[in-house]
């Protein structure tokens, strides 16, 4: 699926390269994109295509819009069961925190995930992944965190790796052992971190299952000092970190993440300006997750204006999970980012391309320029703003993965 040995020139298209510059969306009208051996080797106006492209196979895209392949940089797509009953409970007045403290929430999904076989986890996850692929997604991040014991955390990560074997999609994994404290360690958070979470991280890394290390820093989860111990273990393994931070309150998670040079701080609805500045100084990307905000009927929106003011890159993702964000459509997430938070269509598209790649530490994806992987989405639209504008409509014409349609 990597297009090895091929040289293709895609022509008669509009390219939204998402490269930095004065032109919105990095837009090039009447463009051409040259791909060789699975990578972009040239992008520009069709009339300027280099002579070396003459021998390439020409593919006419009939005037369609081409963007980088979309990236869903925050998902929990491997899990067992569902939490539809909790959704109903919230509509009757129960809060997310109340449900969690009563044994629901993450802990209820842990029970379902522990009892699910690897085959069942994979088959269920592939159904969810197929929906994203059909929307032009070419890369996803998948987190563990619904096992909370060594056996199940490793099973989840192995399933995540297997998705890239079973589907033409790139998968990055995040170890999220510091997601919640399991029932058998109730009121012994520190013991869980030291005796289960950190040893499991080391085991997962030894098996080559971990691309980054995540945690949930919140009053109903783990305190900064506990997350710091996990991050110290990640640093010793030379693994990058990221963090669920400031979702329900502000206990300094984003500042902690920045101190460790985190790739991203995610959710961040309660982030203050001090935290924003810390992220800016550390080069940490803000990952905006409108699905959780919408599902939990929150009222505190992330500080979009402060992020803009200080130039913090904003990514956007589905946060696909069975409890707080059962959102399966990244395209709907674009519209939600615009409608709920006032993010512009260009910012949202950049948030699922260039900045989503940044949030995953990817240097070869997210923009259409020479040297990048030839992961592209071809759309039956004329302007990229339409990707955020429509609700419940998928204009994907085709997807190109590693240069191969």
């Amino acid at each position: 699926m990597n297009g090895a040995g091929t040289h293709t020139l895609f022509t008669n298209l509009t390219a939204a390269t998402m490269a930095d510059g004065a032109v919105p969306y990095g837009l090039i009208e009447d463009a051409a994109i040259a791909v060789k051996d699975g990578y972009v080797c040239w992008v520009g106006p069709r009339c300027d295509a280099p002579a070396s492209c003459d021998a390439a196979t020409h593919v006419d895209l009939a005037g369609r819009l081409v963007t980088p392949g979309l990236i869903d940089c925050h998902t929990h797509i491997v899990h067992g069961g569902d939490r539809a009953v909790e959704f109903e409970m919230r509509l009757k007045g129960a809060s997310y925190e109340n449900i969690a403290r009563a044994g629901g929430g993450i802990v209820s999904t842990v029970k379902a995930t522990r009892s699910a076989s690897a085959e069942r986890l994979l088959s269920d996850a592939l159904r969810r992944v197929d929906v994203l692929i059909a929307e032009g997604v070419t890369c996803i991040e998948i987190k563990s965190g619904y096992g909370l014991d060594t056996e199940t955390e490793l099973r989840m990560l192995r399933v995540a790796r297997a998705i890239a074997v079973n589907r033409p999609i790139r998968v990055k994994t995040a170890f999220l052992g510091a997601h919640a404290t399991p029932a058998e360690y109730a009121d012994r958070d520190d013991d869980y971190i030291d005796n289960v979470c950190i040893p499991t991280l080391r085991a997962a890394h030894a098996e080559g299952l971990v691309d980054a290390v995540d945690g949930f820093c919140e009053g109903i989860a783990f305190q900064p000092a506990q997350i710091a111990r996990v991050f110290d273990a990640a640093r010793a393994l030379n693994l990058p970190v990221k963090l669920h931070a400031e979702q329900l309150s502000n206990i300094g998670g984003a500042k902690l993440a920045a101190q460790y040079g985190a790739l991203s701080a995610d959710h961040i609805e309660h982030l203050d300006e001090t935290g924003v500045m810390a992220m800016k100084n550390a080069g940490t990307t803000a990952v905006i997750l409108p699905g959780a905000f919408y599902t939990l009927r929150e009222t505190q929106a992330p500080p979009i204006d402060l992020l803009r003011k200080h130039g913090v890159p904003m990514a956007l993702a589905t946060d696909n999970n069975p409890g707080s964000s059962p959102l399966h459509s990244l395209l709907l997430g674009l519209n939600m980012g615009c409608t709920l938070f006032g993010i512009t269509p260009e910012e949202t598209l950049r948030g699922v391309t260039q900045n989503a790649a940044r949030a995953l530490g990817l240097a070869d994806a997210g923009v259409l320029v020479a040297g990048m992987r030839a992961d592209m989405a071809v759309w039956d639209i004329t302007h990229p703003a339409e990707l955020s504008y429509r609700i419940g409509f998928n204009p994907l014409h085709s997807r190109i993965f590693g240069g191969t349609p």
Side-chain angles (χ1 to χ4, degrees):
M1 297 299 297
N2 63 3
T6 64
H7 189 185
T8 305
L9 184 68
F10 297 93
T11 64
N12 191 13
L13 61 96
T14 298
T17 68
M18 305 313 296
D20 293 328
V23 179
Y25 300 96
L27 212 61
I28 303 174
E29 304 283 353
D30 193 14
I33 301 172
V35 172
K36 189 171 185 179
D37 297 337
Y39 286 82
V40 175
C41 58
W42 181 85
V43 180
R46 177 165 49 166
C47 61
D48 295 336
S52 60
C53 293
D54 291 346
T57 300
H58 287 228
V59 176
D60 188 323
L61 293 181
R64 295 183 174 92
L65 179 79
V66 178
T67 69
L70 305 189
I71 300 170
D72 195 351
C73 65
H74 181 133
T75 85
H76 305 254
I77 216 161
V78 174
H79 62 79
D82 66 75
R83 304 220 298 263
V85 171
E86 292 178 16
F87 173 70
E88 187 172 34
M89 290 170 63
R90 285 198 303 272
L91 292 175
K92 292 179 179 179
S95 71
Y96 181 71
E97 185 168 351
N98 289 340
I99 291 170
R101 293 193 184 280
I106 293 168
V107 174
S108 66
T109 297
V110 169
K111 183 178 180 181
T113 304
R114 286 179 175 181
S115 65
S117 67
E119 292 76 16
R120 178 59 185 270
L121 289 174
L122 178 60
S123 64
D124 287 352
L126 288 175
R127 293 174 60 199
R128 303 171 192 126
V129 169
D130 285 343
V131 175
L132 293 172
I133 288 174
E135 289 192 343
V137 174
T138 54
C139 178
I140 55 175
E141 186 210 49
I142 301 175
K143 303 179 188 294
S144 68
Y146 289 131
L148 308 185
D149 62 22
T150 300
E151 178 185 356
T152 316
E153 288 291 302
L154 295 178
R155 186 189 313 143
M156 290 184 69
L157 292 168
R158 292 178 191 130
V159 167
R161 289 284 195 234
I163 287 171
V165 176
N166 285 270
R167 292 293 187 273
I169 194 164
R170 193 176 187 184
V171 172
K172 304 297 285 186
T173 59
F175 174 78
L176 184 55
H179 198 192
T181 301
E184 63 268 26
Y185 277 87
D187 301 321
R188 294 189 294 138
D189 296 356
D190 288 302
D191 287 345
Y192 168 73
I193 290 291
D194 295 333
N195 298 333
V196 179
C197 180
I198 292 174
T200 302
L201 166 59
R202 292 175 180 144
H205 175 261
E207 199 173 321
L209 297 174
V210 184
D211 296 317
V213 176
D214 202 342
F216 187 15
C217 190
E218 188 55 71
I220 61 171
F222 295 102
Q223 296 299 303
Q226 294 164 332
I227 294 295
R229 296 210 301 280
V230 178
F231 283 2
D232 286 339
R235 179 177 282 175
L237 297 171
N238 199 30
L239 289 170
V241 301
K242 48 181 51 197
L243 191 63
H244 292 57
E246 273 72 85
Q247 180 183 7
L248 306 173
S249 62
N250 188 341
I251 63 172
K255 288 174 61 179
L256 173 71
Q259 290 169 12
Y260 282 84
L263 291 173
S264 70
D266 303 31
H267 288 289
I268 62 169
E269 283 90 338
H270 291 263
L271 185 65
D272 58 19
E273 190 162 13
T274 300
V276 171
M277 293 174 65
M279 291 175 61
K280 167 63 176 178
N281 293 335
T284 299
T285 298
V287 178
I288 308 301
L289 302 171
F293 178 90
Y294 171 86
T295 301
L296 299 178
R297 303 169 74 188
E298 294 289 347
T299 57
Q300 176 70 46
I304 302 301
D305 287 339
L306 283 177
L307 295 170
R308 288 185 184 129
K309 173 184 174 182
H310 293 287
V312 175
M314 291 184 288
L316 186 145
T318 62
D319 189 18
N320 181 290
N321 75 72
S324 62
S325 184
L327 175 62
H328 295 262
S329 170
L330 190 56
L331 291 179
L332 178 55
L334 298 180
N335 178 271
M336 293 168 75
C338 294
T339 303
L340 296 175
F341 301 146
I343 306 175
T344 69
E346 182 176 3
E347 287 172 331
T348 60
L349 185 54
R350 199 170 297 281
V352 297
T353 53
Q354 183 190 66
N355 290 339
R358 190 192 308 264
L360 297 182
L362 297 176
D364 62 352
V367 292
L368 291 179
V369 297
M372 297 290 110
R373 279 177 54 96
D375 294 342
M376 301 180 281
V378 183
W379 308 94
D380 279 319
I381 58 177
T382 58
H383 193 279
E386 192 169 342
L387 293 175
S388 297
Y389 154 68
R390 296 195 184 276
I391 302 172
F393 179 72
N394 181 2
L396 186 74
H397 172 267
S398 58
R399 204 187 64 129
I400 298 167
F401 183 68
T404 302

